Amino acid sequence: MSRGTGLFFTVLALSVPGLVWTSGTLPARSVEQSPVPQPTPPATEVYVTTLGVDRMPMAGGMPTNISKNEGYDNQPSFLPDGSGLLFTSNRDGKQTDIYRYDFASSALSQVTRTSENEYSPLITPDRKSFSVIRVEADGTQRLWRFDLDGSNPRLVLENVKPVGYHVWIDETRLALFVLGGPGQANTLQLADTKTGQAQVIESAIGRSLLLRPAKGTVSFVSKPPSGHWVVKEFDPRTRAVQTIAETADDNRSEDFAWHPNGTLLMASGTKLLGWLPASAAWKEVGDFSPAGLGRITRLAVGPFGPAARGVPLRLALVADPPR
């Protein structure tokens, strides 16, 4: 991962649960030198469980470990029809690729096989490809796209870097988490693939970027230098930003997901918490302590309704392996 093309390359720790974004510098390399070494991310697992639609608790108990890997597994995202999900996996301690898990067959398959590292897969709006954050050979961190079978990699935004996370708003617009340089905050940026340009919307944000169901707004966590972190939403039509709620705990959790019924979900430790505008307070809606999981970080809710007819509503979560 890099920052700029001048005298120094900036090396940044990618989305690692339990760690903050850090930066350091390495001398610029000649083309004959070996690629910039990437930090080995910690061991985490991807779990899946069913999520209640109109029951309480919504989730809990013993989720299924779908990654089953001693290395790093993270950033799950569901396929549009709910038949499976994509996630990031490092299975040899060196290389990070994208894998696919299918629920009907319980089959796990490797999707990308490249010499670069790919993270944070998302199916694109046309459903013909998926996008990733790719750490290129020289450490540059940009947004790329692959065909669904992992072939035909191509750059999406040439001049926007270093990108950490992304979410598609429509077929040409995205919201991006762009890393700040030394002493600079990470920013929320609105990018357009037609122009190849991006503009800053907000500074000091967290890594989770999600579309809010039925609203078309982009929700994210604002992390001011002082005070409580809050969940905000950005309306790409009006460019307005407003606060939704404070985060669920004392500035520790920054990952969240939206339930189809409008409940905002966050995890604190091994518990799942929910927030509804009507209650204006966080309430426990699930507990995974019986599974012995470590701290839960990333969350993803599967599709529900006509797009995923006959498929149960599922919750994917990333956590430290059972103790």
Side-chain angles (χ1 to χ4, degrees):
M1 292 158 274
S2 76
R3 175 68 176 173
T5 56
L7 180 61
F8 293 100
F9 287 97
T10 301
V11 179
L12 301 142
L14 206 68
S15 163
V16 179
L19 295 182
V20 297
W21 291 80
T22 60
S23 65
T25 54
L26 290 179
R29 304 175 301 105
S30 68
V31 293
E32 291 80 17
Q33 289 178 292
S34 60
V36 174
Q38 300 301 320
T40 302
T44 47
E45 298 280 8
V46 177
Y47 299 87
V48 174
T49 187
T50 56
L51 187 61
V53 176
D54 54 5
R55 72 165 191 259
M56 291 297 292
M58 288 182 174
M62 302 296 292
T64 300
N65 183 342
I66 66 164
S67 52
K68 297 180 181 178
N69 173 42
E70 293 183 357
Y72 174 78
D73 302 280
N74 212 318
Q75 299 144 5
S77 66
F78 284 88
L79 302 180
D81 63 358
S83 63
L85 54 76
L86 301 175
F87 66 96
T88 303
S89 187
N90 186 310
R91 299 198 164 233
D92 60 3
K94 301 176 182 178
Q95 181 63 37
T96 303
D97 289 294
I98 304 305
Y99 284 72
R100 173 173 172 159
Y101 182 86
D102 290 288
F103 293 114
S105 63
S106 300
L108 179 67
S109 57
Q110 186 172 353
V111 182
T112 62
R113 299 175 183 271
T114 72
S115 58
E116 291 80 20
N117 291 302
E118 288 90 35
Y119 296 86
S120 301
L122 289 177
I123 298 294
T124 54
D126 63 7
R127 301 191 179 188
K128 296 178 180 179
S129 62
F130 65 91
S131 52
V132 298
I133 306 303
R134 193 178 201 186
V135 183
E136 299 162 27
D138 65 356
T140 303
Q141 192 169 315
R142 294 186 289 187
L143 187 70
W144 286 69
R145 178 194 303 244
F146 288 77
D147 289 348
L148 293 178
D149 62 0
S151 65
N152 191 25
R154 59 270 196 198
L155 193 57
V156 178
L157 294 166
E158 180 178 1
N159 298 316
V160 183
K161 57 187 176 181
V163 181
Y165 304 93
H166 69 295
V167 66
W168 289 90
I169 298 170
D170 52 39
E171 292 195 357
T172 62
R173 294 182 301 164
L174 305 100
L176 305 174
F177 172 110
V178 178
L179 291 151
Q184 297 178 332
N186 304 322
T187 57
L188 171 66
Q189 298 192 20
L190 177 65
D192 192 324
T193 60
K194 290 181 179 178
T195 64
Q197 303 300 311
Q199 69 175 112
V200 175
I201 302 299
E202 180 110 350
S203 297
I205 71 164
R207 61 195 176 198
S208 288
L209 298 175
L210 293 173
L211 282 184
R212 188 174 183 180
K215 292 197 67 175
T217 56
V218 176
S219 45
F220 63 96
V221 170
S222 174
K223 301 168 66 175
S226 60
H228 205 292
W229 297 351
V230 295
V231 180
K232 292 185 176 182
E233 65 178 346
F234 160 65
D235 190 332
R237 297 175 297 268
T238 64
R239 307 298 174 90
V241 176
Q242 64 179 16
T243 299
I244 299 174
E246 290 191 345
T247 54
D249 52 20
D250 188 16
N251 293 11
R252 293 190 300 272
S253 298
E254 60 179 302
D255 303 304
F256 63 92
W258 287 101
H259 191 286
N261 68 8
T263 300
L264 181 62
L265 301 174
M266 295 192 81
S268 181
T270 61
K271 297 184 183 298
L272 186 67
L273 305 177
W275 179 93
L276 272 171
S279 62
W282 289 94
K283 297 181 180 179
E284 183 178 321
V285 296
D287 186 1
F288 293 95
S289 58
L293 300 188
R295 187 173 70 94
I296 297 169
T297 51
R298 301 302 293 254
L299 300 171
V301 173
F304 182 72
R309 193 178 305 277
V311 175
L313 182 62
R314 292 185 172 102
L315 171 72
L317 55 93
V318 174
D320 297 335
R323 296 180 295 273

